[in-house]
Coordinates of all heavy atoms in Angstrom, one line a residue:
D165 N -50.2 -95.6 31.2 CA -51.5 -96.3 31.5 C -51.6 -96.5 33.0 O -50.6 -96.4 33.8 CB -51.7 -97.5 30.7 CG -51.8 -97.3 29.3 OD1 -52.3 -96.2 28.8 OD2 -51.3 -98.1 28.5
G166 N -52.7 -96.8 33.5 CA -53.0 -97.1 34.9 C -54.4 -96.8 35.1 O -55.2 -96.5 34.2
P167 N -54.9 -96.8 36.4 CA -56.2 -96.4 36.7 C -56.7 -95.1 36.2 O -57.8 -94.9 35.9 CB -56.3 -96.5 38.3 CG -55.2 -97.4 38.6 CD -54.1 -97.2 37.6
E168 N -55.7 -94.1 36.2 CA -56.0 -92.7 35.7 C -54.9 -92.3 34.7 O -54.0 -91.6 34.9 CB -56.0 -91.8 36.9 CG -57.0 -92.1 38.0 CD -56.8 -91.4 39.3 OE1 -55.8 -90.5 39.3 OE2 -57.5 -91.6 40.2
P169 N -55.1 -92.8 33.4 CA -54.0 -92.7 32.4 C -53.6 -91.2 32.2 O -54.4 -90.3 32.3 CB -54.6 -93.2 31.2 CG -55.6 -94.2 31.7 CD -56.2 -93.6 32.9
L170 N -52.3 -91.1 31.9 CA -51.7 -89.7 31.8 C -51.1 -89.6 30.3 O -50.4 -90.5 29.9 CB -50.5 -89.6 32.7 CG -49.7 -88.3 32.6 CD1 -50.5 -87.0 33.0 CD2 -48.4 -88.3 33.5
R171 N -51.5 -88.5 29.7 CA -51.0 -88.2 28.3 C -50.5 -86.8 28.4 O -51.3 -85.9 28.7 CB -52.0 -88.4 27.3 CG -52.6 -89.8 27.1 CD -51.6 -90.8 26.5 NE -52.1 -92.1 26.3 CZ -52.2 -93.0 27.2 NH1 -51.7 -92.8 28.5 NH2 -52.6 -94.3 27.0
M172 N -49.3 -86.5 28.0 CA -48.8 -85.1 28.0 C -47.6 -85.0 27.1 O -47.0 -86.0 26.7 CB -48.4 -84.6 29.4 CG -47.3 -85.4 30.1 SD -46.8 -84.8 31.7 CE -45.9 -83.3 31.2
H173 N -47.2 -83.8 26.8 CA -45.9 -83.6 26.0 C -45.0 -82.7 26.9 O -45.5 -82.0 27.8 CB -46.3 -82.8 24.7 CG -47.2 -83.5 23.8 ND1 -46.8 -84.6 23.1 CD2 -48.5 -83.3 23.4 CE1 -47.8 -85.0 22.3 NE2 -48.8 -84.3 22.6
A174 N -43.8 -82.8 26.7 CA -42.8 -82.0 27.4 C -41.7 -81.5 26.4 O -41.3 -82.2 25.5 CB -42.1 -82.8 28.5
D175 N -41.3 -80.3 26.6 CA -40.3 -79.6 25.7 C -38.9 -79.6 26.4 O -38.0 -78.9 26.0 CB -40.7 -78.3 25.3 CG -40.9 -77.3 26.5 OD1 -40.7 -77.7 27.6 OD2 -41.3 -76.1 26.1
C176 N -38.7 -80.3 27.5 CA -37.4 -80.5 28.2 C -37.4 -81.8 28.9 O -38.4 -82.5 29.1 CB -37.2 -79.3 29.1 SG -38.3 -79.3 30.5
I177 N -36.2 -82.2 29.5 CA -36.1 -83.5 30.1 C -36.4 -83.5 31.6 O -36.2 -84.5 32.3 CB -34.6 -84.0 30.0 CG1 -33.5 -83.1 30.6 CG2 -34.3 -84.3 28.5 CD1 -32.2 -83.7 30.7
T178 N -36.8 -82.3 32.1 CA -37.0 -82.2 33.6 C -38.1 -83.2 34.1 O -38.2 -83.5 35.3 CB -37.4 -80.8 34.0 OG1 -38.3 -80.2 33.1 CG2 -36.1 -80.0 34.1
P179 N -39.1 -83.8 33.3 CA -39.9 -84.8 33.9 C -39.0 -86.0 34.5 O -39.5 -86.7 35.4 CB -40.7 -85.3 32.7 CG -40.9 -84.1 31.8 CD -39.6 -83.4 32.0
E180 N -37.8 -86.1 33.9 CA -36.9 -87.2 34.5 C -36.6 -86.8 36.0 O -36.4 -87.8 36.8 CB -35.6 -87.2 33.7 CG -34.6 -88.3 34.2 CD -33.2 -88.0 33.6 OE1 -33.1 -87.5 32.5 OE2 -32.2 -88.4 34.3
A181 N -36.6 -85.6 36.3 CA -36.3 -85.2 37.7 C -37.3 -85.7 38.7 O -37.1 -85.7 40.0 CB -36.2 -83.6 37.9
A182 N -38.5 -86.0 38.2 CA -39.5 -86.6 39.1 C -39.1 -88.0 39.6 O -39.6 -88.4 40.7 CB -40.8 -86.8 38.4
C183 N -38.2 -88.6 39.0 CA -37.8 -90.0 39.3 C -36.6 -90.0 40.3 O -35.5 -89.6 40.0 CB -37.3 -90.7 38.1 SG -38.5 -90.8 36.8
T184 N -36.9 -90.4 41.5 CA -35.8 -90.4 42.6 C -35.6 -91.8 43.0 O -36.6 -92.5 43.4 CB -36.1 -89.4 43.7 OG1 -37.5 -89.5 44.0 CG2 -35.8 -88.0 43.3
S185 N -34.4 -92.3 42.9 CA -34.1 -93.7 43.1 C -33.0 -93.9 44.2 O -32.3 -93.0 44.6 CB -33.6 -94.3 41.8 OG -32.5 -93.7 41.3
V186 N -32.8 -95.2 44.4 CA -31.6 -95.7 45.2 C -30.7 -96.5 44.2 O -31.3 -97.2 43.4 CB -32.1 -96.6 46.3 CG1 -30.9 -97.3 46.9 CG2 -32.8 -95.8 47.4
Q187 N -29.4 -96.3 44.3 CA -28.5 -97.1 43.5 C -27.6 -97.9 44.5 O -26.9 -97.3 45.4 CB -27.6 -96.2 42.6 CG -28.4 -95.6 41.5 CD -28.6 -94.1 41.7 OE1 -27.6 -93.4 41.9 NE2 -29.8 -93.6 41.4
F188 N -27.6 -99.2 44.3 CA -26.7 -100.1 45.1 C -25.5 -100.5 44.1 O -25.7 -101.0 43.0 CB -27.5 -101.4 45.4 CG -28.6 -101.2 46.5 CD1 -29.9 -101.5 46.1 CD2 -28.3 -100.7 47.7 CE1 -30.9 -101.3 47.0 CE2 -29.4 -100.5 48.6 CZ -30.7 -100.8 48.2
H189 N -24.3 -100.3 44.6 CA -23.1 -100.6 43.9 C -22.5 -101.9 44.5 O -22.5 -102.1 45.7 CB -22.1 -99.5 44.0 CG -22.5 -98.3 43.2 ND1 -21.9 -97.9 42.0 CD2 -23.4 -97.3 43.5 CE1 -22.5 -96.8 41.6 NE2 -23.4 -96.4 42.5
L190 N -22.0 -102.7 43.6 CA -21.3 -103.9 44.1 C -20.1 -104.1 43.2 O -20.2 -104.3 42.0 CB -22.2 -105.2 44.0 CG -21.6 -106.5 44.3 CD1 -21.1 -106.5 45.7 CD2 -22.6 -107.6 44.1
Q191 N -18.9 -104.1 43.9 CA -17.7 -104.3 43.1 C -17.5 -105.8 42.9 O -17.7 -106.6 43.8 CB -16.5 -103.8 44.0 CG -15.2 -103.9 43.4 CD -14.0 -103.5 44.3 OE1 -14.3 -103.0 45.4 NE2 -12.8 -103.7 43.9
V192 N -17.1 -106.2 41.7 CA -17.0 -107.6 41.3 C -15.7 -107.7 40.4 O -15.2 -106.8 39.9 CB -18.2 -108.2 40.6 CG1 -19.4 -108.1 41.5 CG2 -18.4 -107.4 39.3
S193 N -15.2 -109.0 40.4 CA -14.1 -109.2 39.6 C -14.4 -109.3 38.1 O -15.6 -109.7 37.8 CB -13.4 -110.6 40.0 OG -14.2 -111.7 39.6
P194 N -13.5 -109.0 37.2 CA -13.8 -109.2 35.8 C -14.4 -110.6 35.4 O -15.3 -110.7 34.6 CB -12.6 -108.8 35.1 CG -11.8 -108.0 36.1 CD -12.1 -108.5 37.4
D195 N -13.8 -111.6 36.0 CA -14.1 -113.0 35.7 C -15.6 -113.3 36.1 O -16.3 -114.1 35.4 CB -13.2 -114.0 36.4 CG -11.9 -113.9 35.8 OD1 -11.6 -113.3 34.7 OD2 -10.9 -114.5 36.4
H196 N -16.1 -112.6 37.2 CA -17.4 -112.9 37.7 C -18.5 -111.9 37.3 O -19.6 -112.0 37.6 CB -17.4 -113.1 39.2 CG -16.6 -114.2 39.7 ND1 -15.9 -114.2 40.9 CD2 -16.3 -115.4 39.0 CE1 -15.3 -115.4 41.0 NE2 -15.5 -116.1 39.9
F197 N -18.0 -110.8 36.6 CA -19.0 -109.7 36.3 C -20.2 -110.1 35.5 O -21.3 -109.8 35.9 CB -18.2 -108.6 35.5 CG -19.1 -107.4 35.4 CD1 -18.9 -106.3 36.2 CD2 -20.1 -107.3 34.4 CE1 -19.7 -105.2 36.1 CE2 -20.9 -106.2 34.3 CZ -20.7 -105.1 35.1
G198 N -20.0 -111.0 34.5 CA -21.2 -111.4 33.7 C -22.2 -112.2 34.6 O -23.4 -112.0 34.4
R199 N -21.7 -113.0 35.5 CA -22.6 -113.8 36.4 C -23.4 -112.8 37.3 O -24.6 -113.0 37.4 CB -21.8 -114.7 37.2 CG -21.0 -115.8 36.3 CD -20.2 -116.8 37.2 NE -21.1 -117.7 37.8 CZ -21.6 -118.8 37.3 NH1 -21.2 -119.2 36.1 NH2 -22.3 -119.6 38.0
Y200 N -22.7 -111.8 37.8 CA -23.4 -110.9 38.8 C -24.4 -110.0 38.0 O -25.5 -109.7 38.5 CB -22.4 -110.1 39.6 CG -22.0 -110.9 40.8 CD1 -20.8 -111.7 40.8 CD2 -22.7 -110.8 42.0 CE1 -20.4 -112.4 41.9 CE2 -22.2 -111.5 43.1 CZ -21.1 -112.3 43.1 OH -20.7 -113.0 44.2
W201 N -24.0 -109.5 36.8 CA -25.0 -108.7 36.0 C -26.1 -109.5 35.6 O -27.3 -109.0 35.8 CB -24.2 -108.1 34.8 CG -25.0 -107.1 34.1 CD1 -25.1 -105.8 34.4 CD2 -25.8 -107.4 33.0 NE1 -26.0 -105.1 33.5 CE2 -26.5 -106.1 32.6 CE3 -26.2 -108.5 32.2 CZ2 -27.3 -105.9 31.5 CZ3 -27.1 -108.3 31.1 CH2 -27.6 -107.1 30.8
N202 N -26.0 -110.7 35.2 CA -27.1 -111.6 34.8 C -28.0 -111.8 36.0 O -29.3 -111.8 35.9 CB -26.6 -112.9 34.2 CG -25.9 -112.7 32.9 OD1 -26.1 -111.8 32.2 ND2 -25.2 -113.8 32.5
A203 N -27.4 -112.1 37.1 CA -28.2 -112.3 38.3 C -29.0 -111.1 38.7 O -30.2 -111.2 39.0 CB -27.3 -112.8 39.5
A204 N -28.4 -109.9 38.6 CA -29.1 -108.7 38.9 C -30.3 -108.5 38.0 O -31.4 -108.0 38.4 CB -28.1 -107.5 38.9
Q205 N -30.1 -108.7 36.7 CA -31.2 -108.6 35.7 C -32.3 -109.6 36.1 O -33.5 -109.2 35.9 CB -30.6 -108.9 34.3 CG -29.7 -107.9 33.8 CD -30.3 -106.6 33.3 OE1 -30.4 -105.6 34.1 NE2 -30.8 -106.6 32.1
A206 N -31.9 -110.8 36.4 CA -33.0 -111.8 36.7 C -33.9 -111.4 37.8 O -35.0 -111.9 37.9 CB -32.3 -113.2 36.9
V207 N -33.3 -110.7 38.8 CA -34.1 -110.4 40.1 C -34.8 -109.0 40.0 O -35.4 -108.6 41.0 CB -33.3 -110.6 41.3 CG1 -32.7 -112.0 41.4 CG2 -32.2 -109.6 41.4
A208 N -34.6 -108.3 39.0 CA -35.1 -106.9 38.9 C -36.6 -106.8 39.2 O -37.0 -105.9 39.9 CB -34.7 -106.2 37.6
G209 N -37.3 -107.7 38.5 CA -38.7 -107.7 38.8 C -39.1 -107.9 40.2 O -40.0 -107.2 40.7
A210 N -38.5 -108.8 40.9 CA -38.8 -109.1 42.3 C -38.4 -107.9 43.2 O -39.2 -107.5 44.1 CB -38.1 -110.3 42.8
Q211 N -37.3 -107.2 42.8 CA -36.9 -106.1 43.6 C -38.0 -105.0 43.4 O -38.4 -104.3 44.5 CB -35.6 -105.4 43.0 CG -34.3 -106.2 43.4 CD -33.2 -105.4 42.8 OE1 -32.8 -105.5 41.7 NE2 -32.6 -104.6 43.6
I212 N -38.5 -104.7 42.3 CA -39.5 -103.7 42.1 C -40.8 -104.0 42.7 O -41.5 -103.2 43.4 CB -39.7 -103.4 40.6 CG1 -38.5 -102.8 40.0 CG2 -40.9 -102.4 40.4 CD1 -38.5 -102.7 38.5
A213 N -41.3 -105.3 42.7 CA -42.5 -105.7 43.3 C -42.4 -105.4 44.8 O -43.4 -104.9 45.4 CB -42.7 -107.2 43.1
L214 N -41.3 -105.7 45.4 CA -41.1 -105.5 46.9 C -41.0 -104.0 47.2 O -41.4 -103.6 48.3 CB -39.8 -106.2 47.4 CG -39.8 -107.7 47.5 CD1 -38.4 -108.1 47.8 CD2 -40.7 -108.0 48.8
G215 N -40.3 -103.2 46.3 CA -40.0 -101.9 46.7 C -40.8 -100.8 46.1 O -40.5 -99.6 46.2
A216 N -41.9 -101.1 45.4 CA -42.6 -100.1 44.6 C -43.1 -99.0 45.5 O -43.5 -99.2 46.6 CB -43.9 -100.8 44.0
N217 N -42.9 -97.7 45.0 CA -43.1 -96.5 45.8 C -43.4 -95.3 45.0 O -43.1 -94.2 45.4 CB -41.9 -96.3 46.7 CG -42.1 -95.5 47.9 OD1 -43.3 -95.4 48.4 ND2 -41.1 -94.8 48.5
S218 N -44.0 -95.5 43.8 CA -44.3 -94.3 42.9 C -45.6 -94.4 42.2 O -45.7 -94.5 41.0 CB -43.1 -94.3 41.9 OG -41.9 -94.4 42.4
P219 N -46.8 -94.5 43.0 CA -48.0 -94.6 42.3 C -48.7 -93.4 41.7 O -49.7 -93.5 41.0 CB -48.9 -95.2 43.4 CG -48.4 -94.6 44.7 CD -46.9 -94.5 44.4
Y220 N -48.1 -92.2 42.1 CA -48.8 -90.9 41.6 C -47.8 -90.0 40.8 O -46.6 -90.0 41.2 CB -49.2 -90.1 42.8 CG -50.4 -90.8 43.6 CD1 -50.2 -91.5 44.7 CD2 -51.7 -90.7 43.1 CE1 -51.3 -92.1 45.4 CE2 -52.8 -91.3 43.7 CZ -52.5 -92.0 44.9 OH -53.6 -92.5 45.5
L221 N -48.3 -89.4 39.7 CA -47.6 -88.5 39.0 C -48.5 -87.4 38.5 O -49.5 -87.8 37.8 CB -46.8 -89.2 37.8 CG -46.1 -88.2 36.9 CD1 -45.0 -87.6 37.5 CD2 -45.6 -89.0 35.6
F222 N -48.2 -86.2 38.8 CA -49.0 -85.0 38.3 C -50.5 -85.2 38.7 O -51.4 -84.9 37.9 CB -48.8 -84.8 36.8 CG -47.4 -84.6 36.4 CD1 -46.9 -85.1 35.2 CD2 -46.5 -83.8 37.2 CE1 -45.6 -84.9 34.9 CE2 -45.2 -83.6 36.9 CZ -44.7 -84.2 35.7
G223 N -50.7 -85.8 39.8 CA -52.1 -85.9 40.3 C -52.8 -87.2 39.9 O -54.0 -87.5 40.2
H224 N -52.2 -87.9 39.0 CA -52.8 -89.2 38.4 C -52.3 -90.4 39.2 O -51.1 -90.5 39.5 CB -52.4 -89.3 36.9 CG -53.0 -88.3 36.0 ND1 -53.9 -88.6 35.0 CD2 -52.8 -87.0 35.9 CE1 -54.2 -87.5 34.4 NE2 -53.6 -86.5 34.9
R225 N -53.2 -91.3 39.5 CA -52.8 -92.6 40.0 C -52.5 -93.5 38.8 O -53.4 -93.7 38.0 CB -53.9 -93.2 40.9 CG -53.5 -94.5 41.4 CD -54.5 -95.3 42.2 NE -54.3 -96.7 42.2 CZ -55.1 -97.7 42.6 NH1 -56.3 -97.4 42.9 NH2 -54.7 -98.9 42.5
L226 N -51.2 -94.0 38.8 CA -50.8 -94.7 37.7 C -50.3 -96.1 38.1 O -51.0 -96.8 38.8 CB -49.7 -93.9 36.9 CG -50.2 -92.5 36.4 CD1 -49.0 -91.6 36.0 CD2 -51.2 -92.7 35.3
D227 N -49.1 -96.5 37.6 CA -48.5 -97.8 38.1 C -48.0 -97.8 39.5 O -47.8 -96.7 40.0 CB -47.3 -98.1 37.2 CG -47.6 -98.3 35.7 OD1 -48.8 -98.6 35.4 OD2 -46.8 -98.2 34.8
S228 N -47.8 -98.9 40.1 CA -47.3 -99.0 41.4 C -45.9 -98.4 41.4 O -45.5 -97.7 42.4 CB -47.2 -100.4 41.9 OG -48.5 -101.0 42.1
E229 N -45.1 -98.7 40.4 CA -43.8 -98.0 40.3 C -43.7 -97.2 39.0 O -43.0 -97.6 38.0 CB -42.7 -99.1 40.4 CG -41.3 -98.6 40.5 CD -41.1 -97.4 41.5 OE1 -41.7 -97.5 42.5 OE2 -40.3 -96.5 41.2
T230 N -44.5 -96.1 38.9 CA -44.6 -95.3 37.7 C -43.2 -94.8 37.3 O -43.0 -94.5 36.1 CB -45.5 -94.1 38.0 OG1 -46.8 -94.6 38.4 CG2 -45.7 -93.2 36.8
R231 N -42.3 -94.7 38.2 CA -40.9 -94.2 37.9 C -40.3 -95.0 36.8 O -39.5 -94.4 36.0 CB -40.1 -94.3 39.1 CG -38.7 -93.8 39.1 CD -38.0 -94.1 40.4 NE -36.7 -94.8 40.2 CZ -36.6 -96.1 40.1 NH1 -37.7 -96.9 40.4 NH2 -35.5 -96.6 39.9
I232 N -40.5 -96.3 36.6 CA -39.9 -97.1 35.6 C -40.3 -96.6 34.2 O -39.5 -96.3 33.4 CB -40.3 -98.6 35.7 CG1 -39.7 -99.1 37.1 CG2 -39.8 -99.4 34.6 CD1 -38.2 -99.3 37.1

Side-chain angles (χ1 to χ4, degrees):
D165 294 325
E168 300 166 4
L170 174 67
R171 299 290 183 272
M172 64 175 283
H173 300 290
D175 60 3
C176 66
I177 62 169
T178 45
E180 180 195 332
C183 305
T184 39
S185 64
V186 167
Q187 289 111 46
F188 295 116
H189 291 255
L190 176 61
Q191 182 185 351
V192 295
S193 76
D195 289 346
H196 295 151
F197 188 97
R199 300 179 71 87
Y200 275 90
W201 187 85
N202 289 345
Q205 292 284 96
V207 303
Q211 283 185 278
I212 293 169
L214 283 171
N217 199 24
S218 312
Y220 291 101
L221 175 64
F222 303 140
H224 293 243
R225 181 186 158 193
L226 301 168
D227 294 339
S228 291
E229 189 48 36
T230 301
R231 182 185 127 267
I232 296 292

